[in-house]
Amino acid sequence: LICETYSIMKDVLGMEQSEMAEVFEEWNKGELDSFLIEISRDILKFKDSDGKYLLPKIRDTAGQKGTGKWTGIAALEYGVPVTLIGEAVFARCLSALKDERVEASKALHGPKAKFSGDKKKFLDHLRKALYASKLISYAQGFMLLREAAKANSWDLNYGGIALMWRGGCIIRSAFLGNIKDAFTKNPQLTNLLLDPYFCERIGASQQSLREVFCQAVMVGVPVPAFSAALAFYDGYRSAVLPANMLQAQR
């Protein structure tokens, strides 16, 4: 999600790295306060020994050590739609196809549209979209933990797990304290999105997620994680889904 946010800033809004760093610094003072936002700010500021920014010199290919893959496999085994982690893993797989992507960039064409709106207003949409998507990803993760606990007869302390992550993990964030509070208030909470605090927050942010997704699509910037977040949200809030057609086809 943070990589997609960086890509939108760079390729949709045409922002310079120093400007991006300022935005990340500001975001890190609020509800997005986290280790990853903090180091993203520092990465954007960092210059090489030649005085030029280091980030554009880093090859845009990433592998994966296995944790995302294992989570995806577990999600499929337990039948839980952990779509954001799945899309994050597939995005890494796609990034690894560097040579193919370079060739494809010469042959495959995208839209000619350019961003023409209010940049400051859009950056606020982007902040809210990142928050909403992050919330949805955590909701999916706790769905998987709950299903695994049910299948394996585990007695998990979900609030304690959130505090453990906050204590020493790359996903350390202030946000985890709110998750702990949600499970303290209701240990039987079926989904984080249904907690009153988070329900209000996602309700106030979901339109921004739509704005960001639509703008990225119109300009041709890939946002699989933002897209997965929005699709899950709309699917989860749907009392009726078209799976009846699937069942009829079967």
Side-chain angles (χ1 to χ4, degrees), residues 78-244:
Y78 288 112
V80 180
V82 186
T83 54
L84 272 96
I85 288 177
E87 288 295 347
V89 173
F90 287 132
R92 291 187 181 200
C93 295
L94 182 58
S95 78
L97 303 177
K98 176 67 174 180
D99 293 341
E100 287 184 48
R101 289 191 290 111
V102 170
E103 285 303 308
S105 70
K106 300 169 186 174
L108 303 177
H109 304 291
K112 298 273 194 284
K114 300 288 183 185
F115 177 76
S116 60
D118 183 324
K119 185 166 77 171
K120 186 176 180 181
K121 185 176 179 181
F122 186 78
L123 280 170
D124 195 51
H125 282 313
L126 188 55
R127 175 183 61 80
K128 290 178 181 177
L130 181 55
Y131 178 87
S133 300
K134 181 177 176 179
L135 170 54
I136 291 165
S137 189
Y138 275 110
Q140 291 182 353
F142 278 100
M143 286 169 69
L144 179 57
L145 287 174
R146 189 172 288 283
E147 192 60 33
K150 192 188 304 179
N152 295 285
S153 300
W154 296 338
D155 182 18
L156 297 182
N157 181 338
Y158 300 104
I161 290 168
L163 285 186
M164 179 178 68
W165 287 339
R166 191 174 70 174
C169 176
I170 67 161
I171 60 171
R172 171 186 62 74
S173 67
F175 184 93
L176 288 161
N178 302 124
I179 292 177
K180 191 267 181 189
D181 292 342
F183 284 114
T184 297
K185 283 185 293 183
N186 181 8
Q188 304 308 313
L189 183 65
T190 54
N191 192 295
L192 274 176
L193 300 182
L194 300 180
D195 170 74
Y197 173 82
F198 286 123
C199 186
E200 181 184 349
R201 303 299 291 169
I202 197 78
S205 302
Q206 56 93 18
Q207 186 57 39
S208 290
L209 179 52
R210 299 181 195 282
E211 297 282 348
V212 167
F213 171 71
C214 289
Q215 188 63 58
V217 169
M218 293 304 296
V219 177
V221 172
V223 285
F226 279 127
S227 174
L230 182 57
F232 175 85
Y233 177 76
D234 283 338
Y236 190 70
R237 68 179 187 84
S238 296
V240 178
L241 288 171
N244 57 330

